[in-house]
Amino acid sequence: MSERRSSESGFPIKGVYTAADLPEELETRLGGPGEYPYTRGVYPTMYTSRPWTMRQYAGFGTATESNARYHQLLRAGTMGLSVAFDLPTQMGYDSDDPIAHGEVGKVGVAIDSIEDMRMLFDGIPLDKVSTSMTINAPGSVLLLLYQLVAEEAGVAGSALNGTIQNDILKEYIARGTYIFPPKPSLRLVADTFGYCRKEVPKWNTISISGYHMAEAGATPAQEIAFTLANGVEYVRAALEAGLAVDDFAPRLSFFFVARTTLLEEVAKFRAARRIWARLMRDDFGAKDPKSMMLRFHTQTAGVQLTAQQPEVNLVRVAVQGLGAVLGGTQSLHTNSFDEAIALPTEKAARLALRTQQVLAYETDLTATVDPFAGSYVVEAMTAEIEAAAVELMDRVADHGSAVDAIEAGFQKREIEQSAYRIAQEIDSGERVVVGLNRFTVDEEEPYEPLRVDPAIEAAQAERLARLRAERDNGAVERALAELRAAAEGTENVLYPMKEALRARATVGEVCGTLRQVWGTYRPTDRF
């Protein structure tokens, strides 16, 4: 008998699976591809008609440097752009704010105003590419800047395709780049749903993210449970704002990690689709099939990459990408092998993209839909993860809502316990990490990482000073006053926000105006 071992989610993995391990009513649990409950994928043909969207997450330093990287990626064959923003932008601060010192351009691109956004997408046909923006608390601000730049190029909002992450709840759980308290943050999310339905109808208004919780240590079951519980909270917020479920739910999207534990990851993705379809149909009364489809983007697991023997990360990323594809992802970002050390070099980013292209064009993965359907082990694992995730979602609901559970520290505490267990297993050698605690080498080969020029901060400050000197500051103040009035009332804040940005108000000024009305969240706040 083979030795039993546990999955990442905690259930035992058998050495051998048989038909006896298949869940009851398997055909009902499966459905067909593109059919409820979407276990086998959200589209009937999946990759047999076209591959997933291949994205590369990029953005560093200045908008000009990032623009050059985007053009390089497009020439290399990427099908969609994915923008990384620096921490000041993520937190709604301008580059010349004292709190931004030392962080400008470090983990992503600095965007302070419409002028930076123009440079970021200079020469890129926004009606022909899909753009994903990893931005949360100020997600609506960056979306409006993108729309304004598109309009200047003659591209209507109706022609824009892309996604803003816009998932503030996971920030309170796992990342910490929040600005406002939860209630006004949820209002801003709902306002974005309403605005995009009218003005940018093809845009995915939110990417409800489990990725960052997984990076913080969440198990696969925790990842989908807490992500879907947050999704429920967003649906409720939109309904309370007066939107009809089938008017906004088709534009909801999700964002998950892909780990090296390939079989369990495939099962996780299939279980997540099944749970979400059931929730939307049975709990929220959705009628439009698109409202029940869990469409998701995947990024390979950065937390599993090592600075030791970094080339081994190429193998890890290939396995992780394979799991995402076998799990039915709609788009995929493959990490560069050097990301555990620094921002990716151009060569490393190209190799990461080539990994996806090999999967799409040199394997037979795109020849058939959901090749693991009916697999003894995968179907058993899918049912196990589904049951574990539903049980965790019930525990979230016992607090009253996802926000109430966040305020009680439930999700954060559960994830921290999982992360501690993983760290102990790595330290003890029970969990093997190649090159880190086994199969090590005495001397590492030299590696020259990409470095961000510290002069960027001063250059951005100079640009901001020039912007404030040249613009019509009276028009900016009037526009910000309109935004403040909307935030104090019930009007959709995105319309006056757009006019303020058009007048060349900065990201920091717009977010600062909302801070004056809504306040700033502190982890000890109660509401």
Side-chain angles (χ1 to χ4, degrees), residues 4-16:
R4 293 168 68 95
R5 51 178 288 194
S6 293
S7 71
E8 294 288 296
S9 297
F11 56 82
I13 300 178
K14 295 182 178 182
V16 176

Side-chain angles (χ1 to χ4, degrees), residues 147-204:
Q147 185 189 9
L148 284 166
V149 168
E151 288 176 355
E152 290 175 352
V155 178
S158 58
L160 297 177
N161 283 282
T163 305
I164 44 172
Q165 194 162 102
N166 200 30
D167 174 9
I168 197 61
L169 293 181
K170 65 94 175 50
E171 296 297 322
Y172 303 118
I173 296 171
R175 278 193 85 232
T177 62
Y178 40 71
I179 300 176
F180 317 112
K183 280 188 176 177
S185 293
L186 286 172
R187 178 218 169 150
L188 188 55
V189 170
D191 280 359
T192 304
F193 289 176
Y195 176 87
C196 287
R197 179 174 176 264
K198 293 180 180 178
E199 310 296 339
V200 198
K202 296 179 183 177
W203 198 266
N204 297 317

Side-chain angles (χ1 to χ4, degrees), residues 67-91:
N67 176 264
R69 174 63 62 86
Y70 295 154
H71 280 284
Q72 179 265 325
L73 288 170
L74 290 169
R75 286 192 299 270
T78 193
M79 298 154 63
L81 301 176
S82 189
V83 185
F85 297 94
D86 71 357
L87 279 175
T89 305
Q90 292 181 47
M91 298 292 291

